[in-house]
Amino acid sequence: MQVDFRPRGIHLPDIDLWLDCTEDCWNTWMSHAHSDHAHGLHGRIFGTPETLGIYRERVPIPPDECPECTEMPFGQEVEYHDVRLTAFPASHILGAAQLLIEYKEERLIYTGDIKLRDPLCGVSTDVVACDRLIVESTFGLPIYRFLTREQARDRITAFARECLAEGVTPVFVGYPLGRGQEIVHVLCDDGIPTAVHGSIARFIPWYQRAGYRFDGWEPYENRATDGRALVVVPDFRNYLQASGKNIRIAYVSGWAALDNARTRVGAEALIPYSDHADFDELLKLVDRSGAREVDVVHGYTEPFARLLRERGLNARAPMPQTAREAAGEQEG
Ligand SMILES: [Zn+2]
């Protein structure tokens, strides 16, 4: 199958389907609902029910431009232009999915953003056998190695309890969708009173509808911090630091694998855990897929593709790393 890598997404001209197209197009697969993937007005969108639901909530769509949304629950096949499309879990955030495209004799997997380790709250990834793999490599260097789910959970709750015992407010910085809810879920599960920034709180009901519990959290709008952990978005950290409140910050991120993250984000505790795969997970994912052809997109594309070639695979980096990716400024 022909695969064209373009700045606005990946195009499959044989079946007229885009993968995560960032501009308006006729037909696209939407791998997950992060805002850098789930935007634009398209003619027809394929995605999991959660991804499409959050997209519709996030993007105000004029009624006369409402796209045709084809919901694809995990494992359910959809016929489209002579190919079979199937979504499989990617564990990145709620609803995130890989896409299997079966075309003639070829099986192609597009991972979207993915991790292999079990998420703090969400379903685990299925590694799907394929001939050709299009895989992300946000953390495709061996310096990026992360904690397991259990280790991350223990570090998060221990940090919160230590701070609270000293009369300090523990602050966790998370992204609005995914990491934020995972941290809140872990804190609530441990019985720690938790106040949540509105940008994160707005997506908690989506996780609750998927069956995850969030007992005892409250919106931060109440401004009460005594005896509570706070979960906020990155932009809010500066406000808190300037507010003179007695706080201590934990940075839960893949970027926290590097010591310089401490000064870069002003965090006292670094908890290297991500909704992306670390270096070892990426290698495992490629190995287990059985793919002989690999296209590496996003992040450290060139070095990761080179390493795969050294391991005997036909690997390419068709899209060079962006300046933003090189600076480590994308979510992770
Ligand atoms: Zn993402």
Side-chain angles (χ1 to χ4, degrees):
M1 172 178 302
Q2 187 178 333
V3 182
D4 294 337
F5 295 87
R6 308 257 183 86
R8 63 182 172 134
I10 299 166
H11 189 228
L12 310 175
D14 295 325
I15 58 171
D16 186 23
L17 180 70
W18 285 86
L19 306 175
D20 280 332
C21 189
T22 57
E23 293 173 16
D24 302 358
C25 71
W26 283 113
N27 304 302
T28 192
W29 159 253
M30 197 172 273
S31 66
H32 66 288
H34 273 151
S35 55
D36 52 342
H37 296 254
H39 66 116
L41 288 172
H42 312 286
R44 184 177 182 185
I45 308 174
F46 297 85
T48 62
E50 295 83 2
T51 295
L52 293 174
I54 297 170
Y55 160 76
R56 280 189 293 248
E57 184 180 298
R58 243 184 172 170
V59 180
I61 303 168
D64 56 337
E65 293 186 41
C66 204
E68 179 185 347
C69 287
T70 302
E71 293 194 349
M72 293 176 54
F74 294 133
Q76 198 169 296
E77 294 170 355
V78 170
E79 301 290 336
Y80 166 79
H81 290 187
D82 297 329
V83 296
R84 201 180 303 148
L85 306 175
T86 317
F88 291 93
S91 304
H92 174 61
I93 60 168
L94 185 73
Q98 312 169 72
L99 182 66
L100 169 66
I101 303 156
E102 292 174 272
Y103 177 71
K104 297 181 178 167
E105 297 302 306
E106 188 183 25
R107 288 166 64 87
L108 184 151
I109 281 278
Y110 169 62
T111 64
D113 288 354
I114 191 167
K115 73 165 179 275
L116 277 198
R117 68 195 58 215
D118 295 331
L120 292 165
C121 123
V123 292
S124 299
T125 291
D126 289 335
V127 179
V128 184
C130 61
D131 307 298
R132 182 171 181 178
L133 180 70
I134 304 174
V135 64
E136 63 124 331
S137 64
T138 301
F139 293 110
L141 289 183
I143 49 173
Y144 294 108
R145 292 201 159 95
F146 307 151
L147 303 175
T148 63
R149 169 172 67 173
E150 291 69 27
Q151 290 167 332
R153 191 178 56 206
D154 292 349
R155 290 275 296 276
I156 289 169
T157 54
F159 177 79
R161 292 203 177 278
E162 276 165 30
C163 292
L164 292 171
E166 294 172 29
V168 177
T169 298
V171 175
F172 295 89
V173 178
Y175 294 101
L177 177 58
R179 194 85 38 78
Q181 291 77 25
E182 287 195 276
I183 297 168
V184 177
H185 174 72
V186 163
L187 293 167
C188 289
D189 211 37
D190 206 54
I192 297 168
T194 303
V196 185
H197 186 275
S199 301
I200 295 168
R202 70 177 278 210
F203 295 113
I204 287 179
W206 283 97
Y207 278 79
Q208 287 175 315
R209 282 196 284 275
Y212 302 101
R213 296 188 61 153
F214 291 79
D215 296 336
W217 72 276
E218 60 183 278
Y220 176 65
E221 280 67 28
N222 299 346
R223 292 291 185 270
T225 54
D226 287 352
R228 292 165 179 81
L230 278 187
V231 184
V232 302
V233 289
D235 290 349
F236 203 67
R237 180 182 52 213
N238 298 338
Y239 160 77
L240 283 174
Q241 282 169 325
S243 70
K245 287 181 191 294
N246 189 13
I247 62 168
R248 207 174 286 162
I249 294 176
Y251 185 42
V252 185
S253 169
W255 305 112
L258 303 184
D259 263 351
N260 70 5
R262 204 178 298 277
T263 43
R264 192 168 133 188
V265 301
E268 279 82 352
L270 298 179
I271 302 178
Y273 179 84
S274 180
D275 40 25
H276 292 266
D278 72 5
F279 177 74
D280 293 329
E281 286 172 89
L282 286 174
L283 282 183
K284 240 185 251 177
L285 172 62
V286 173
D287 283 350
R288 288 189 196 164
S289 75
R292 304 305 302 165
E293 273 199 69
V294 184
D295 296 290
V296 183
V297 295
H298 299 306
Y300 297 100
T301 52
E302 298 284 354
F304 193 66
R306 195 180 320 126
L307 187 129
L308 295 179
R309 284 196 295 276
E310 286 164 10
R311 293 162 71 97
L313 298 178
N314 183 10
R316 300 164 291 261
M319 297 160 110
Q321 188 181 31
T322 65
R324 190 165 167 258
E325 287 171 339
E329 287 172 353
Q330 78 276 32
E331 44 100 354

